[in-house]
Amino acid sequence: MALFVRLLALALALALGPAATLAGPAKSPYQLVLQHSRLRGRQHGPNVCAVQKVIGTNRKYFTNCKQWYQRKICGKSTVISYECCPGYEKVPGEKGCPAALPLSNLYETLGVVGSTTTQLYTDRTEKLRPEMEGPGSFTIFAPSNEAWASLPAEVLDSLVSNVNIELLNALRYHMVGRRVLTDELKHGMTLTSMYQNSNIQIHHYPNGIVTVNCARLLKADHHATNGVVHLIDKVISTITNNIQQIIEIEDTFETLRAAVAASGLNTMLEGNGQYTLLAPTNEAFEKIPSETLNRILGDPEALRDLLNNHILKSAMCAEAIVAGLSVETLEGTTLEVGCSGDMLTINGKAIISNKDILATNGVIHYIDELLIPDSAKTLFELAAESDVSTAIDLFRQAGLSNHLSGSERLTLLAPLNSVFKDGTPPIDAHTRNLLRNHIIKDQLASKYLYHGQTLETLGSKKLRVFVYRNSLCIENSCIAAHDKRGRYGTLFTMDRVLTPPMGTVMDVLKGDNRFSMLVAAIQSAGLTETLNREGVYTVFAPTNEAFRALPPRERSRLLGDAKELANILKYHIGDEILVSGGIGALVRLKSLQGDKLEVSLKNNVVSVNKEPVAEPDIMATNGVVHVITNVLQPPANRPQERGDELADSALEIFKQASAFSRASQRSVRLGESGLGLKSLQTCLGLTPKQAQACHLLYIDKNIMVQ
């Protein structure tokens, strides 16, 4: 009974657990990371937290799950150490950190948490220590000893030379006139400091990092009798200017200042909000070709896209970056922001030269390279960063540069470089015309293309769109990468050179000497009109060699029977267009004859009914032709399958059973008559099941005669 009660209690706890979790307050990211660190340290005793320390530095982090397994911070290796979790201390002779730290006033707590320098500077002022030791409720963001030591000498000298004004004001700016714990520190909030009610910016990131004016919270929530202490890694200072004001006063932003004014973004950058500006310096603008820069500066829409691509939707302090993450700009582009040691990276490049310049409405990082979004680029500029440079050279040699660098609304179908591994075609009239047919007269987006859509090229050809389960194709060429949408044009990266249709299926076959016997067969079977009219056909076209490979008697019989010939030829024609790029592991394509063709792709080789296709994707206006070197046989014409059908019919099974019964009753007479041998001779050449039925029927018939 007692066991039953315990099990019932456990079941109720499990059932109510999620509901209780939902009802209770959600843990903040910082608390979740601290909880994980506590979990990793529990083997060392109660209230022990696992801490990752970057090798060669004094930088320590409570560890989350990902960092625990990677053992890296900003690409640098870490070692794991085990320390008392915030608020606890060791007891001699006992495991872990079983004792809670004794509560004392704020001043005493500063020494406990490792901010003795803050204590020292507090002592130098006349008013602050009594405040910290007296009644009240305060929060102090206390710089670590290392934070004070890292201040420039001139800054520190100015503080200590006037302790009752400069130093006192600096310390009061680190204080808030009430108790604030980490669960109240929300991303993007501001706290009012005790220095002239100046704001302190708080950011609480999903990875558990909390920053105070971009200084990282090292150890939080150290309770005191009159407040709480949070240890931070920098000495923070007041913020007075917004982003626009910083741009206006910094000489290194002269070009940026002019660009912001021309785009009209200055109103946003001086207003309320929390942004990150990746601010390009004059040097960054100078690295861009003057032709490109002048084009963008003279195009209000491209300029606005350019600048919006340097603005993030929220404030991102450098200390928040401990590994790579994706962030979205106001323009809509995704940037990969990471770090390598002390350097921040953007898209893998260490281009940030100055970080964490705080403004009242966000943070600025200086960058030495312009981040030009696709939306501000020409087609040529889009292609320069893609794997289609060989094709772009061909377009340039063919005299099509004006189309790809101008303001026409176009879509470029550019084959991958790998398509030309065996060489490029000579630039002649045919190649120029072919390349013109790789340029669509509209700026498209692949997500809006639909099956059966037609697109017009600069070469006045109509191209068709084919949508398959796992691919999107234009004629025989399929899209191999995501669109790149530029200022006026869009780049589609294609998996092969596109071949526009040059006539109907019948035109294609007549124009190729390999298919003279097939053309004659189609005409004899009365299928010429079918393959000349509008439609969507996939034709597996046997070559002359395929017909010659047939046994002479079978070939003569086939060509002499128009009905049978039509049946065979219809089996070679699918009732929809299937190009090689649309073939998955296996596609069952219904033929005009009625049976299905099994089309597959393996190691870039197309097969139909397990027979390899010699040449795929000869495009026609009403279909596609795939060249094969065998004549395909419908299932009904295959001897083995036909025999199975006959043997499995109800009539044949009945005959076999009846004949077997009668034959078994006359077994003696069989041996005497020699009919067994004669039946074997008569039924020779049939399948096993057919031969059995034939054998029994033959014997039964002859016994009855006898």
Side-chain angles (χ1 to χ4, degrees):
M1 182 65 179
L3 177 61
F4 172 76
V5 171
R6 287 199 298 271
L7 290 173
L8 180 60
L10 177 61
L12 285 171
L14 291 172
L16 295 175
T21 301
L22 290 172
K27 290 183 180 294
S28 69
Y30 171 83
Q31 291 168 329
L32 289 173
V33 170
L34 184 62
Q35 178 178 303
H36 181 265
S37 289
R38 186 187 291 270
L39 180 67
R40 295 296 181 183
R42 64 183 177 180
Q43 60 183 333
H44 295 274
N47 305 314
V48 174
C49 284
V51 177
Q52 282 187 284
K53 180 181 178 182
V54 180
I55 295 174
T57 73
N58 290 321
R59 294 169 61 191
K60 295 181 179 180
Y61 296 81
F62 292 120
T63 180
N64 62 31
C65 190
K66 183 177 181 180
Q67 292 165 359
W68 174 264
Y69 287 107
Q70 290 183 341
R71 293 289 203 273
K72 287 184 181 297
I73 300 289
C74 284
K76 301 298 182 181
S77 297
T78 62
V79 293
I80 303 294
S81 61
Y82 297 91
E83 303 177 359
C84 290
C85 296
Y88 295 91
E89 65 178 354
K90 291 180 176 294
V91 173
E94 294 193 29
K95 187 176 181 180
C97 305
L101 286 171
L103 276 182
S104 55
N105 58 53
L106 283 173
Y107 178 81
E108 296 296 334
T109 304
L110 287 173
V112 173
V113 303
S115 187
T116 54
T117 306
T118 306
Q119 267 186 326
L120 173 65
Y121 289 141
T122 299
D123 283 334
R124 293 193 182 187
T125 67
E126 294 178 359
K127 301 178 181 179
L128 199 54
R129 178 169 178 175
E131 229 175 291
M132 287 188 179
E133 292 179 326
S137 181
F138 307 100
T139 296
I140 181 167
F141 296 101
S144 66
N145 295 338
E146 292 80 6
W148 286 107
S150 65
L151 277 180
E154 61 273 15
V155 174
L156 196 55
D157 288 343
S158 68
L159 292 175
V160 299
S161 64
N162 193 347
V163 293
N164 287 317
I165 297 178
E166 297 295 338
L167 184 58
L168 177 63
N169 291 342
L171 291 171
R172 281 187 176 278
Y173 183 64
H174 288 73
M175 298 178 67
V176 177
R178 63 184 180 87
R179 187 187 304 266
V180 184
L181 300 174
T182 51
D183 59 359
E184 191 182 338
L185 298 178
K186 307 299 183 184
H187 190 71
M189 74 179 293
T190 58
L191 295 173
T192 303
S193 77
M194 291 175 61
Y195 170 65
Q196 297 183 352
N197 292 328
S198 299
N199 285 336
I200 300 173
Q201 292 184 3
I202 303 297
H203 292 97
H204 196 149
Y205 299 95
N207 60 4
I209 299 291
V210 179
T211 62
V212 183
N213 282 13
C214 285
R216 181 167 64 92
L217 214 63
L218 301 178
K219 290 185 178 179
D221 296 337
H222 288 278
H223 291 272
T225 55
N226 57 346
V228 62
V229 176
H230 304 291
L231 190 68
I232 59 177
D233 72 344
K234 293 183 181 70
V235 178
I236 62 175
S237 56
T238 56
I239 308 166
T240 56
N241 292 325
N242 59 47
I243 292 175
Q244 179 63 28
Q245 288 170 329
I246 294 173
I247 292 173
E248 288 175 354
I249 62 178
E250 290 291 333
D251 291 337
T252 191
F253 295 142
E254 182 181 355
T255 309
L256 175 61
R257 187 159 55 244
V260 169
S263 68
L265 287 175
N266 47 344
T267 302
M268 182 187 74
L269 296 179
E270 64 188 8
N272 295 327
Q274 285 290 303
Y275 304 104
T276 298
L277 175 63
L278 304 171
T281 61
N282 295 335
E283 179 186 353
F285 282 98
E286 289 166 3
K287 292 179 180 179
I288 301 300
S290 57
E291 181 181 348
T292 300
L293 183 59
N294 291 335
R295 177 183 61 78
I296 294 175
L297 293 176
D299 182 342
E301 186 173 334
L303 178 58
R304 193 173 185 86
D305 284 347
L306 171 70
L307 295 177
N308 279 335
N309 198 48
H310 291 75
I311 304 173
L312 307 184
K313 297 179 179 180
S314 63
M316 179 69 68
C317 295
E319 286 293 343
I321 312 298
V322 295
L325 76 158
S326 300
V327 295
E328 188 177 355
T329 69
L330 288 185
E331 187 271 339
T333 298
T334 298
L335 302 177
E336 297 299 324
V337 179
C339 53
S340 178
D342 292 330
M343 295 185 299
L344 286 185
T345 61
I346 298 177
N347 295 337
K349 298 180 179 180
I351 60 175
I352 294 181
S353 56
N354 194 6
K355 57 191 178 183
D356 289 345
I357 309 303
L358 284 167
T360 56
N361 56 350
V363 60
I364 298 176
H365 305 295
Y366 294 27
I367 62 172
D368 292 332
E369 188 172 304
L370 214 56
L371 305 172
I372 304 178
D374 287 349
S375 59
K377 294 178 180 177
T378 66
L379 279 169
F380 267 139
E381 290 163 354
L382 288 175
E385 299 174 6
S386 303
D387 191 21
V388 294
S389 57
T390 305
I392 294 305
D393 284 340
L394 289 175
F395 284 108
R396 187 179 286 109
Q397 293 172 38
L400 298 173
S401 298
N402 289 340
H403 294 292
L404 306 187
S405 57
S407 57
E408 294 176 87
R409 295 287 181 181
L410 302 171
T411 298
L412 178 65
L413 311 179
L416 286 161
N417 289 340
S418 57
V419 172
F420 303 102
K421 62 180 183 296
D422 296 326
T424 57
I427 302 300
D428 53 21
H430 174 266
T431 302
R432 287 190 183 90
N433 192 48
L434 178 64
L435 292 174
R436 288 175 63 83
N437 287 322
H438 281 71
I439 303 175
I440 308 296
K441 289 182 178 180
D442 195 5
Q443 186 175 16
L444 305 173
S446 62
K447 62 184 177 182
Y448 295 120
L449 297 180
Y450 57 89
H451 192 75
Q453 183 179 3
T454 58
L455 313 171
E456 186 178 356
T457 72
L458 286 184
S460 300
K461 288 289 184 182
K462 299 287 187 181
L463 305 180
R464 296 157 298 180
V465 176
F466 305 122
V467 179
Y468 301 104
R469 184 174 297 276
N470 295 311
S471 54
L472 178 60
C473 305
I474 299 173
E475 294 299 334
N476 62 304
S477 185
C478 301
I479 297 175
H482 292 298
D483 307 3
K484 283 183 171 291
R485 186 176 179 85
R487 176 67 178 92
Y488 296 105
T490 299
L491 175 68
F492 286 177
T493 301
M494 311 302 290
D495 66 352
R496 66 198 69 196
V497 174
L498 182 145
T499 54
M502 302 304 292
T504 66
V505 167
M506 206 61 202
D507 292 332
V508 169
L509 297 177
K510 286 181 177 178
D512 194 323
N513 292 332
R514 293 176 295 176
F515 304 121
S516 58
M517 294 183 71
L518 175 60
V519 169
I522 290 171
Q523 292 169 339
S524 298
L527 293 176
T528 303
E529 184 181 349
T530 299
L531 297 182
N532 262 329
R533 67 182 177 218
E534 288 187 9
V536 285
Y537 304 116
T538 296
V539 178
F540 293 95
T543 60
N544 295 339
E545 287 71 18
F547 282 100
R548 294 190 187 104
L550 291 172
R553 181 177 298 178
E554 182 179 348
R555 184 170 66 246
S556 299
R557 179 188 60 79
L558 180 62
L559 297 177
D561 186 339
K563 185 177 180 180
E564 177 66 11
L565 180 61
N567 188 60
I568 291 287
L569 292 178
K570 286 180 179 180
Y571 184 62
H572 288 72
I573 305 171
D575 64 356
E576 60 180 288
I577 296 178
L578 180 62
V579 299
S580 60
I583 302 170
L586 178 65
V587 176
R588 301 188 75 221
L589 179 65
K590 186 178 180 182
S591 71
L592 297 187
Q593 177 263 354
D595 289 317
K596 290 188 176 180
L597 297 158
E598 293 190 350
V599 188
S600 60
L601 181 69
K602 186 176 181 181
N603 297 327
N604 293 320
V605 176
V606 178
S607 297
V608 55
N609 293 354
K610 300 182 180 179
E611 295 290 341
V613 169
E615 181 185 345
D617 299 334
I618 303 175
M619 304 309 296
T621 55
N622 59 346
V624 60
V625 175
H626 302 298
V627 182
I628 58 175
T629 56
N630 296 85
V631 176
L632 304 175
Q633 296 293 332
N637 288 24
R638 300 173 198 164
Q640 184 176 354
E641 295 185 28
R642 183 181 63 196
D644 290 344
E645 276 188 340
L646 292 172
D648 289 340
S649 69
L651 178 61
E652 290 301 321
I653 293 172
F654 174 80
K655 288 180 179 179
Q656 291 175 37
S658 174
F660 181 80
S661 175
R662 289 193 296 272
S664 62
Q665 295 173 12
R666 302 173 178 85
S667 57
V668 175
R669 294 171 63 187
L670 274 176
E672 295 173 353
S673 64
L675 290 175
L677 177 61
K678 294 178 181 179
S679 73
L680 289 175
Q681 294 170 341
T682 303
C683 301
L684 188 66
L686 299 180
T687 65
K689 289 185 179 180
Q690 281 184 289
Q692 181 186 18
C694 172
H695 179 69
L696 294 173
L697 288 169
Y698 182 91
I699 292 171
D700 185 72
K701 176 181 177 182
N702 283 279
I703 287 178
M704 290 176 67
V705 172
Q706 289 181 356

